[in-house]
Amino acid sequence: MVDADDVRRVALALPHVVEMDSDGFDFRVADKGFVWSYPERTPGRPRRIRTDIAVLYVGDEAEKQALLLGEPDLFFTTPAYDGFPLVMLRLAHVDVERLTELVTDAWRMRAPDSLAGDLDAAGS
């Protein structure tokens, strides 16, 4: 089981990551978000930032569907994310090793090629 502090530690260990000011967590590489707190929206109520759920960039619809269908206890989506290569991850259901893999993969998909070598040089 991991929490927002683990997400922060893993994300900030990656090269060229900037944490945006947020009520939860929000990490970017080259001005592109790759992992952030889930902004839960319920009609008629104010948006609620959920730090127990991470939104992850996954690259494409095929990867999104593979995660959703293959591990429904970990991943979910909502209609607001239809058409976007994003999944929500239940942090309470994942360990640090898997979190590191997922966040690093999201970073790789969002970072420009010119920065990818910096991750390899860091040994990740």
Side-chain angles (χ1 to χ4, degrees):
M1 176 176 155
V2 300
D3 61 20
D5 290 334
D6 294 307
V7 174
R8 183 169 284 107
R9 184 182 48 73
V10 169
L12 290 174
L14 298 167
H16 309 285
V17 170
V18 175
E19 183 172 9
M20 305 303 290
D21 187 30
S22 169
D23 289 335
F25 52 86
D26 184 349
F27 298 97
R28 304 189 184 205
V29 60
D31 293 323
K32 295 179 181 177
F34 65 98
V35 62
W36 58 91
S37 302
Y38 174 49
E40 184 177 56
R41 292 173 177 88
T42 304
R45 297 181 145 180
R47 179 178 74 157
R48 183 177 134 203
I49 302 299
R50 299 276 308 266
T51 58
D52 61 322
I53 297 172
V55 180
L56 286 165
Y57 185 86
V58 295
D60 62 31
E61 187 65 25
E63 178 69 14
K64 177 179 182 174
Q65 291 305 316
L67 291 169
L68 293 171
L69 295 172
E71 299 176 89
D73 56 321
L74 294 182
F75 301 101
F76 71 99
T77 191
T78 66
Y81 288 89
D82 287 351
F84 295 99
L86 304 167
V87 295
M88 278 64 83
L89 170 66
R90 294 176 181 94
L91 295 179
H93 296 267
V94 68
D95 62 23
V96 172
E97 183 177 335
R98 185 68 191 282
L99 176 70
T100 301
E101 172 192 333
L102 292 164
V103 171
T104 302
D105 287 349
W107 183 96
R108 285 185 189 280
M109 287 181 264
R110 297 300 274 173
D113 292 340
S114 62
L115 299 182
D118 292 345
L119 181 63
D120 296 332
S124 296

